[in-house]
Amino acid sequence: MKARQLWSFFGGLTLPDGKNQSTQVPITQADLPEYLIFPLQQPTGNLLIPVVKIGDIVLKGEVVAKAQDNLSVPVHASSSGKVIGIENLPILHPSGLQAPCIIIETDGKETWIDRYPFKDYQQLDPSYLRNLIREMGIIGLGGAGFPTFIKLNSGAKAQVQTLIINGAESEPYISCDDLLMRERAHEIIQGIAILRHALQACHCLMGIEDNKPEAYAALTAAVTTGIEIIKIPTRYPAGGEKQLIKTLTGKEVTSRGLPIDIGVVCHNVGTAAAVYRAIHLGQPLTSRIITVTGSAIDRPKNLEVLLGTPIYHLLNQCRVDQRRINHLIIGGPMMGFTLNDINLPVVKTTNCLLVGIPEPNKSTPVMPCIRCGACAEVCPAHLLPQQLYWYTKAKELDKAQDYHLFDCIECGCCAYVCPSHIPLVHYYRYAKSEIQAQKQEQEQAHRARQRYEFRHRRLEQEQQEQAARQQMQKASLSPSASEDKKRALIQAAVERARSKRIAQKEKLN
Amino acid sequence: MPFPFFSAPHIHQGTNVSQLMLQVIYALIPALLAYIWYFGYGILINITLTVITAVITEALMLAARGQPLNIFLADGSAVVTGTLLAFCLPALTPWWIPVIGTAFAMIFAKHLYGGLGYNPFNPAMVGYVLLLISFPKEMTTWLPVKDLMINPPLDLKESLKLVFTHIAPEVDSFSGATPLDYTKTQLRLGRAIDEIRSHPLFGGLGGKGWAWINGWFFLGGMWLLYKRVISWHIPSAVLGILLAMSTMFHFLVPNYYPSALFHLTSGGTMLGAFFIATDPVTAAASPRGRLFYGAGIGGLTYIIRTWGGYPDGIAFSVLLMNMAVPVIDYYTQPPVFGHKKDS
Ligand code: SF4
Ligand code: SF4
């Protein structure tokens, strides 16, 4: 096979990968928990609307909440049981948000609903297929959790030339995609075929970091025609969508744009496998693979977990060393967020639980920025992180935007190398949310002003109209010019008559 | 701003500011030993004085500004400033020269601007220039290299006595000019380079001793590059421009303009290129900006050395380019991902 040309992206890091710990054992089925919790808030879109009520018996795969907008997908019960509550609970979110959740008590039987597999999906119309994928509750399993059907719906405006499958998994410690690729290569390959059909894409490239030789081998063995599997250099964040597209195609997704603008659509391997199961087996998305690892975990491994499973239930199965839980990270060490509540349920985007590792840098104090430039050398977005920090700290948010704050992908490379241990990403997140809040406020103010002006104008108009009407009325009451004329004529006639009469009288005399 | 205790990323490369500063100190050790070898113990006394002054001033200023002493004293930046300044002073200057220079550098160039990370000018160079302007006699009285000393070099006790009391037999016999200084004054007198170079001050490459010390600075700098404490941009640009300009003029009028080799191995060239110009706080920030910044320093150094009023131009060049940093930073922002005009 001829070597394919690869491009490199600026910046990035070689990180200690820590993946070996969790790749020693095959994917294990997690035990069925007693309770399952389904938050009605998805990564994107508005709250879902529950379609079950307390006391309902549900089957595995049954829709329990439906979407009410075009940015969400339904949620399905991941096991059979009884709905025992719909209430506000904290959900997996960096800011400790609460949201309404459906709580299901499992019955241990795992009874499925009726499933309708479509083995010959090629007969299906792409738009029908997209809708089916939506109804199956599939969202991107790689990270941001964007609904898959939207990314399959390129519309007429752009032609998808290349479907890119992301098997890079560059974040340290996480190995769920790696294991999935090793063990379920055929599911991924068939899922890709479905995605291609839905997109009507000509090419398909798949990038795998070269630190996963087993996954690469498994996929190349399973591959059918039309999919090119490419080893890419291991360099964080090679799995970032824009970085992966650059590596494989040499094209840069523009700052404000989407991959589709340059004819590319990117999906994760996990999503491909979920699509396969949804279409070929008729199974909605009810489970995913999660890496449970870290220094406090006795047996790091990858578990196939029912969505809605509480985190403590998973930790129990992996033998946690209680003394070493210094913090719990959802996601990887570079981009994950910490939580201190282990009662929260896993959701579709949960790819990793990192417990007790790595040691937090609490011993190193934060120093002032010494402008060493180390951060700028590693920033894959090619920003000047120290300038962003400077302006964010000074609350000069306009300036921070001039320095392209919103191009920051929050990969954490800058903070990783900063000798002053400045929590740079935290400042950027803060600045972004602040700017967004300001924008919203401005928009609200703008809308309020518009409403006010509109009302003002309307009132004014009404006033004017009223004035006009009054004038008319007044006009109709007051004598008009023509009437004056008439009256003058009459007057004249009267005068004439009178003078005639006088003249006749005089004649008679 | 509310901070949760841990924010992503949760791992770190493991470097910190003190380590960087410590590595700079390590990198200076070979040159320090060479200094002692060629010029005696004076440099050690200088360093002791400057470092003690730097640390005391730093502590006082931190206390005055209400900053945590332990954290900032441990960062090592005061020690680096003191050490760099000591390398620029003639050995065996009276004790108050290093003390005044360092205290001024720490107070005026560093803390009055807000301390570590906030100073626009390189503190060591500010201290040096203050001394150079205020005490020109003391600052230009250098010891001759060991081989040229009439008497055997002073031992530590005699050196200390000289520094603190300035009483020593035959003080005058110690004084001399640096090769750069000598070249400059002799050129003014209309002598040709070849003639000047026949003076015993000069060895095979450049000034006797000076060439070696510059060599050790160079090696120390290479080590810093290898350790990634500094990036290649600034030193390469400084040396590249100095090399290019000196080669060109030497080629045009060999008897008036000294060779590139002389420039690269004289005075503060290597110290400046690898240790002073690379001070991150006061240098340009982006890689491209650093090339311009370094080129500016190299060019100005050559101009000051050749046509200016001072023998060595490093300090002035660095300070002048410090002033240009905001402009350089503004015009050298890197091309942000996804902002290319094509594609
Ligand atoms: S790495 Fe840290 S200290 Fe260095 S320039 Fe960036 S923010 Fe400043
Ligand atoms: S977090 Fe943002 S600023 Fe920092 S390296 Fe990543 S993209 Fe650049």
Side-chain angles (χ1 to χ4, degrees):
Chain A
M1 204 176 84
K2 73 173 165 58
R4 195 189 161 84
Q5 188 195 348
L6 292 180
W7 285 263
S8 66
F9 59 90
F10 178 88
L13 286 170
T14 307
L15 298 172
D17 85 347
K19 292 181 195 257
N20 282 344
Q21 305 167 16
S22 54
T23 53
Q24 301 307 319
V25 282
I27 299 172
T28 320
Q29 194 71 41
D31 301 339
L32 184 69
E34 267 175 82
Y35 303 101
L36 295 165
I37 303 165
F38 301 95
L40 298 182
Q41 179 71 63
Q42 297 234 354
T44 57
N46 292 328
L47 280 187
L48 303 180
I49 303 168
V51 295
V52 290
K53 50 187 194 311
I54 297 176
D56 281 2
I57 301 295
V58 292
L59 297 181
K60 180 169 177 145
E62 191 174 326
V63 174
V64 292
K66 63 173 194 211
Q68 58 163 331
D69 58 22
N70 278 332
L71 277 173
S72 344
V73 299
V75 160
H76 305 74
S78 55
S79 185
S80 54
K82 185 167 137 193
V83 178
I84 57 164
I86 300 178
E87 58 193 81
N88 260 350
L89 291 174
I91 59 168
L92 267 193
H93 192 274
S95 59
L97 218 63
Q98 288 213 347
C101 296
I102 298 176
I103 307 161
I104 291 175
E105 184 180 32
T106 54
D107 60 11
K109 296 192 199 117
E110 292 263 69
T111 325
W112 272 98
I113 45 158
D114 295 334
R115 280 162 284 171
Y116 304 100
F118 284 96
K119 288 253 159 34
D120 45 359
Y121 62 88
Q122 270 143 347
Q123 306 305 317
L124 297 176
D125 184 61
S127 70
Y128 183 80
L129 196 51
R130 284 175 211 135
N131 208 33
L132 206 54
I133 287 171
R134 177 184 191 186
E135 290 312 313
M136 291 297 186
I138 297 175
I139 62 175
L141 299 184
F146 201 67
T148 303
F149 81 96
I150 298 179
K151 277 168 122 186
L152 290 177
N153 198 355
S154 56
K157 63 169 178 163
Q159 162 101 54
V160 180
Q161 287 130 20
T162 314
L163 167 63
I164 288 183
I165 301 296
N166 190 343
E169 199 174 42
S170 54
E171 174 84 51
Y173 289 94
I174 307 181
S175 62
C176 57
D177 285 353
D178 186 2
L179 269 273
L180 181 81
M181 290 189 281
R182 292 188 200 187
E183 295 183 21
R184 302 181 190 170
H186 72 281
E187 289 189 13
I188 295 171
I189 296 295
Q190 296 193 55
I192 295 173
I194 300 171
L195 290 170
R196 273 185 82 188
H197 178 65
L199 276 169
Q200 303 284 306
C202 327
H203 302 285
C204 179
L205 308 175
M206 177 169 180
I208 303 179
E209 273 196 314
D210 55 16
N211 62 353
K212 303 175 192 60
E214 295 91 344
Y216 178 79
L219 277 161
T220 29
V223 78
T224 48
T225 52
I227 304 172
E228 207 177 320
I229 298 173
I230 301 152
K231 260 190 204 168
I232 59 171
T234 298
R235 186 156 61 105
Y236 178 81
E241 188 173 73
K242 291 182 172 182
Q243 279 66 37
L244 183 64
I245 292 172
K246 172 90 192 246
T247 307
L248 293 179
T249 68
K251 292 186 203 165
E252 280 187 15
V253 181
T254 51
S255 166
R256 294 276 158 87
L258 292 171
I260 188 74
D261 301 338
I262 52 169
V264 176
V265 167
C266 196
H267 286 284
N268 177 263
V269 282
T271 314
V275 164
Y276 160 81
R277 291 194 165 196
I279 305 299
H280 265 247
L281 311 176
Q283 295 178 359
L285 185 60
T286 55
S287 68
R288 67 157 298 148
I289 299 168
I290 297 178
T291 307
V292 182
T293 185
S295 67
I297 301 283
D298 225 13
R299 301 205 177 132
K301 55 167 107 68
N302 282 279
L303 292 157
E304 169 124 36
V305 182
L306 294 180
L307 299 174
T309 301
I311 287 169
Y312 70 83
H313 182 80
L314 287 183
L315 295 182
N316 284 346
Q317 283 175 68
C318 298
R319 299 241 218 120
V320 194
D321 181 348
Q322 294 287 350
R323 288 159 308 170
R324 292 168 79 180
I325 306 188
N326 44 14
H327 61 318
L328 171 66
I329 298 166
I330 308 296
M334 294 300 282
M335 295 180 80
F337 54 91
T338 54
L339 281 186
N340 27 27
D341 188 350
I342 55 170
N343 295 308
L344 302 175
V346 300
V347 292
K348 291 174 182 175
T349 49
T350 313
N351 53 4
C352 179
L353 299 182
L354 193 49
V355 193
I357 204 176
E359 299 306 326
N361 313 302
K362 47 187 165 188
S363 55
T364 322
V366 173
M367 300 290 286
C369 168
I370 55 167
R371 290 170 41 92
C372 65
C375 49
E377 276 166 43
V378 297
C379 175
H382 217 160
L383 302 168
L384 289 172
Q386 81 271 35
Q387 300 285 48
L388 290 178
Y389 162 67
W390 186 265
Y391 290 123
T392 306
K393 206 176 162 209
K395 297 235 160 77
E396 291 183 46
L397 298 179
D398 287 348
K399 275 281 198 189
Q401 271 174 286
D402 288 350
Y403 277 85
H404 308 291
L405 173 67
F406 281 94
D407 284 297
C408 166
I409 56 171
E410 298 180 16
C411 65
C413 290
C414 51
Y416 180 82
V417 297
C418 174
S420 290
H421 290 251
I422 302 169
L424 294 163
V425 182
H426 193 80
Y427 279 94
Y428 309 150
R429 284 192 182 152
Y430 163 81
K432 285 181 185 177
S433 61
E434 194 76 345
I435 291 170
Q436 247 134 23
Q438 277 179 9
K439 263 196 199 136
Q440 257 168 20
E441 231 165 74
Q442 268 167 12
E443 231 159 73
Q444 268 166 9
H446 181 67
R447 250 182 267 136
R449 199 174 48 241
Q450 273 185 329
R451 266 202 305 275
Y452 170 78
E453 275 169 9
F454 181 74
R455 186 161 163 269
H456 191 73
R457 260 206 311 277
R458 203 192 58 204
L459 288 180
E460 235 171 39
Q461 209 173 348
E462 277 177 6
Q463 237 165 30
Q464 275 171 5
E465 280 171 8
Q466 208 175 355
R469 264 201 309 276
Q470 278 173 355
Q471 195 121 42
M472 284 253 276
Q473 271 169 4
K474 231 193 256 162
S476 63
L477 287 178
S478 68
S480 72
S482 57
E483 264 166 309
D484 284 354
K485 226 170 160 184
K486 234 193 265 166
R487 205 173 297 152
L489 285 175
I490 295 170
Q491 195 84 36
V494 171
E495 290 293 319
R496 267 199 310 279
R498 193 193 288 154
S499 55
K500 229 187 230 168
R501 252 196 325 267
I502 293 170
Q504 275 172 351
K505 241 185 211 167
E506 276 173 6
K507 249 187 216 166
L508 287 174
N509 293 341
Chain B
M1 202 179 291
F3 273 107
F5 193 59
F6 301 115
S7 60
H10 307 281
I11 47 177
H12 194 276
Q13 182 174 267
T15 51
N16 59 44
V17 177
S18 340
Q19 267 171 20
L20 293 185
M21 298 292 173
L22 211 59
Q23 276 169 332
V24 173
I25 303 274
Y26 290 155
L28 287 168
I29 289 178
L32 174 66
L33 296 178
Y35 231 113
I36 298 173
W37 174 260
Y38 286 109
F39 296 104
Y41 294 110
I43 180 82
L44 271 187
I45 303 171
N46 274 354
I47 289 189
T48 315
L49 285 171
T50 52
V51 167
I52 290 177
T53 314
V55 172
I56 291 176
T57 327
E58 175 106 326
L60 289 176
M61 288 309 286
L62 286 171
R65 293 175 49 224
Q67 300 276 322
L69 280 193
N70 50 349
I71 291 176
F72 282 98
L73 277 182
D75 70 28
S77 60
V79 179
V80 170
T81 303
T83 312
L84 290 178
L85 181 55
F87 270 105
C88 305
L89 303 176
L92 303 182
T93 49
W95 62 272
W96 44 269
I97 289 268
V99 170
I100 290 179
T102 314
F104 184 80
M106 298 303 291
I107 296 171
F108 286 89
K110 186 175 179 184
H111 281 284
L112 291 191
Y113 281 105
L116 178 71
Y118 293 91
N119 47 308
F121 297 105
N122 186 312
M125 291 303 98
V126 171
Y128 171 74
V129 166
L130 171 91
L131 294 173
L132 192 61
I133 295 173
S134 315
F135 311 107
K137 184 172 150 277
E138 284 81 359
M139 286 299 285
T140 46
T141 308
W142 289 78
L143 284 182
V145 68
K146 186 175 66 181
D147 310 11
L148 304 181
M149 287 184 189
I150 302 157
N151 303 320
L154 299 178
D155 64 16
L156 191 56
K157 197 175 145 212
E158 287 165 342
S159 304
L160 280 170
K161 197 170 149 204
L162 183 62
V163 166
F164 283 98
T165 63
H166 226 237
I167 300 167
E170 306 158 69
V171 170
D172 288 341
S173 67
F174 295 105
S175 60
T178 65
L180 266 176
D181 220 352
Y182 181 76
T183 307
K184 187 153 205 160
T185 41
Q186 292 302 309
L187 280 172
R188 288 254 160 84
L189 295 176
R191 299 179 63 197
I193 289 288
D194 279 349
E195 256 181 283
I196 298 170
R197 290 210 50 165
S198 60
H199 188 278
L201 262 177
F202 297 89
L205 294 174
K208 261 187 208 151
W210 289 100
W212 280 105
I213 292 170
N214 268 295
W216 289 112
F217 277 129
F218 178 77
L219 279 184
M222 285 311 192
W223 186 73
L224 287 184
L225 276 179
Y226 167 73
K227 283 282 179 182
R228 314 206 62 176
V229 174
I230 58 174
S231 70
W232 59 270
H233 305 83
I234 293 176
S236 319
V238 174
L239 299 180
I241 293 292
L242 199 54
L243 182 83
M245 289 182 77
S246 49
T247 307
M248 191 179 81
F249 284 103
H250 182 65
F251 177 76
L252 290 176
V253 193
N255 246 332
Y256 189 74
Y257 298 105
S259 70
L261 208 54
F262 174 77
H263 273 287
L264 292 182
T265 58
S266 296
T269 305
M270 293 298 170
L271 177 68
F274 287 97
F275 293 88
I276 292 171
T278 51
D279 165 36
V281 175
T282 55
S286 71
R288 216 152 50 92
R290 288 180 173 176
L291 287 177
F292 287 111
Y293 175 78
I297 292 177
L300 284 172
T301 300
Y302 187 81
I303 291 170
I304 295 173
R305 277 184 183 180
T306 310
W307 300 289
Y310 288 90
D312 198 351
I314 293 279
F316 289 103
S317 316
V318 168
L319 292 179
L320 286 170
M321 290 311 289
N322 284 166
M323 281 185 220
V325 160
V327 179
I328 297 176
D329 277 349
Y330 184 81
Y331 285 105
T332 53
Q333 292 173 41
V336 175
F337 189 103
H339 281 269
K340 259 192 228 141
K341 278 173 203 90
D342 53 348
S343 94

